[in-house]
Amino acid sequence: MSADFVNLTAENLSNEHLCCIIRSRKFHPGIDAKRQWLSDRLNEGHVFRKLNEKATVFIEYAPLETAWVPITGDNYYYLYCLWISGNHKGKGYGKALMEYCLANAKAQGKSGICMLGAKKQKSWLSDQSFIKKYGFEVVDTTDNGYELLALSFDGTTPKFAQQVKKSEIESKALTIYYDMQCPYIYQNIETIKQYCEMNDIPAAFIQVDTLQKAKELPCVFNNFGVFYQGKFEMVNLLDIAYLKRILKK
């Protein structure tokens, strides 16, 4: 398969579309927030590679040391997202992007690649069955069903930060940790805030805006994390229906 891909750079970032939200004709604040987030990451070795057309076909990964996740390890890449949607599925784009990432990791002398997974495939996480075809294995777990998947080139493995295992916080209120990496987050947070305000639901919205905050998070995280009654719920972005189910617990 011959396909034209492009990597985002400081020079082309302002002009290239971001794959996640391409159907919106109106101004979308989440896209600007994502561009700003990326502009601060690209000089850290962060990679956003996409099909060079208006499509949701991309891979996003970064050196684990500067990845905004509470995972520790040396010399790994962390794979945030590999997403192919719509009629672009089944055309070999996922394979091409994954092989690029693998080749990039080996060329950079990396020890391996890791990503967040779960015992049962969850939405907002990359397709684990696809990833496991490349030899990714479970190297760490949490009690609530999340897994750290890794493909090691040299036998070393990363792990979840220790505080992640507990997956608890003191506050009983609805608590959401989020960053601006995903363009959907901006609107999602505003929707949840409005609902909580209208219904007098105590809630805390904690923006993860530094690497240190991300590394010290009390839960697994890909760019979002939800707690209620002190217990970790999920990394999925919330709609109101799902929020109502959580609040009934």
Side-chain angles (χ1 to χ4, degrees):
M1 182 200 69
S2 178
D4 183 17
F5 292 98
V6 61
N7 286 24
L8 295 184
T9 65
E11 289 72 34
N12 69 13
L13 179 59
S14 61
N15 298 319
E16 291 287 344
H17 77 80
L18 300 182
C19 300
C20 318
I21 299 178
I22 58 175
R23 295 170 296 283
S24 176
R25 293 181 180 180
K26 299 177 182 177
F27 166 75
H28 197 293
I31 294 176
D32 273 6
K34 166 84 174 187
R35 282 192 210 281
Q36 182 57 52
W37 191 90
L38 277 173
S39 72
D40 296 330
R41 304 281 82 74
L42 292 174
N43 64 359
E44 299 170 350
H46 189 103
V47 175
F48 188 111
R49 182 173 175 82
K50 68 189 186 77
L51 190 65
N52 194 19
E53 61 180 81
K54 205 169 186 181
T56 303
V57 179
F58 72 97
I59 191 169
E60 188 170 3
Y61 59 91
L64 182 57
E65 292 83 354
T66 55
W68 285 32
V69 288
I71 295 169
T72 60
D74 294 322
N75 202 34
Y76 262 72
Y77 270 142
Y78 178 78
L79 176 56
Y80 286 107
C81 196
L82 173 59
W83 193 9
I84 319 293
S85 75
N87 59 10
H88 291 85
K89 288 183 177 179
K91 296 183 177 180
Y93 294 137
K95 182 173 184 285
L97 288 168
M98 192 64 224
E99 288 179 353
Y100 176 89
C101 178
L102 287 167
N104 190 196
K106 290 175 180 176
Q108 295 293 327
K110 295 295 181 185
S111 294
I113 304 167
C114 63
M115 64 170 271
L116 181 63
K119 287 181 181 178
K120 184 179 179 182
Q121 178 69 45
K122 297 180 184 292
S123 49
W124 299 97
L125 293 180
S126 297
D127 185 346
Q128 293 164 207
S129 60
F130 175 79
I131 290 293
K132 287 179 178 178
K133 292 176 183 177
Y134 290 88
F136 281 72
E137 298 178 340
V138 177
V139 296
D140 204 357
T141 60
T142 67
D143 291 341
N144 51 8
Y146 285 91
E147 299 176 336
L148 181 59
L149 304 175
L151 174 61
S152 178
F153 302 149
D154 62 7
T156 64
T157 53
K159 60 184 179 180
F160 289 123
Q162 192 58 41
Q163 76 275 5
V164 168
K165 299 295 185 111
K166 191 176 179 184
S167 294
E168 295 179 354
I169 59 175
E170 290 186 9
S171 173
K172 301 299 183 185
L174 175 70
T175 303
I176 298 177
Y177 295 89
Y178 68 97
D179 64 25
M180 284 298 172
Q181 182 182 3
C182 172
Y184 287 101
I185 288 174
Y186 189 100
Q187 277 189 335
N188 193 264
I189 287 291
E190 291 305 310
T191 299
I192 301 301
K193 278 182 180 177
Q194 288 176 16
Y195 180 83
C196 291
E197 288 169 4
M198 289 172 60
N199 293 277
D200 295 321
I201 298 165
F205 299 88
I206 302 171
Q207 184 171 356
V208 179
D209 52 10
T210 67
L211 177 63
Q212 182 179 351
K213 285 184 184 178
K215 292 297 187 188
E216 294 174 353
L217 281 163
C219 60
V220 294
F221 188 80
N222 213 39
N223 47 48
F224 206 77
V226 182
F227 282 83
Y228 185 59
Q229 298 292 352
K231 302 289 186 182
F232 176 69
E233 292 289 339
M234 59 183 177
V235 297
N236 302 30
L237 270 67
L238 291 173
D239 58 23
I240 298 302
Y242 210 121
L243 174 60
K244 287 179 179 178
R245 289 204 293 273
I246 290 174
L247 296 173
K248 284 181 181 178
K249 292 185 177 181

